[in-house]
Amino acid sequence: PWALLTLSSARQAGETALALIALKALHGIPLRVLLTLGATDAGDEIGPVSKNVHIEMFVPHSEVLKRAALSLSHAGHGIVSKSLYYGVPMVLVPWGRDQPGVAARAETLGVAKVVRRDELSEEKLRAAILAVLNDPRYSDQAKVAAKRLSASIVSRSIAALVGVLMG
């Protein structure tokens, strides 16, 4: 299974620390890791990685999330929404902007474990990762959220189509 580790597409100061700590926290956990950096030059800051880690500037997250067991990110609205849509449980480290609120809502839904930025350490992040991977409630709740989102999208699409057809 895959873990998607992603940084913000609009780089935030110090955010590379999240990737560095996350890669250490994920070390030894039997997952393939894809780190997406967005349109940044953060790759130079990462250094050598384990053979199970692949780093890219951009990969369509939807394709990875279809195969992912975990999404680990800064709690940006886009990646959290996509993770929910594909039913992937999350570990979130809100970095700034609206991200603390997004992370809190995901945690309330039971689909994510949140590590506060000011408490970020390899040990805390690893504990959160293992909690999400080892407790099926996170995955179960993520799948429930995915079904709700999918049903809502289908309902809106049908209503829009009927509206167009009925003129």
Side-chain angles (χ1 to χ4, degrees), residues 20 70 105 115 138 164:
L20 293 169
L70 178 71
R105 287 188 287 282
V115 176
Y138 289 99
V164 168

Side-chain angles (χ1 to χ4, degrees), residues 4-11 15-16 33-46 53-61 64 74 79 82:
L4 174 61
L5 168 57
T6 186
L7 300 182
S8 179
S9 55
R11 190 159 186 196
E15 186 184 33
T16 306
V33 178
L34 174 63
L35 167 59
T36 59
L37 300 172
T40 71
D41 58 358
D44 297 338
E45 299 172 45
I46 301 298
V53 175
H54 189 72
I55 300 174
E56 291 291 335
M57 295 301 277
F58 173 79
V59 169
H61 289 154
V64 181
H74 58 286
I79 188 58
K82 287 178 189 170

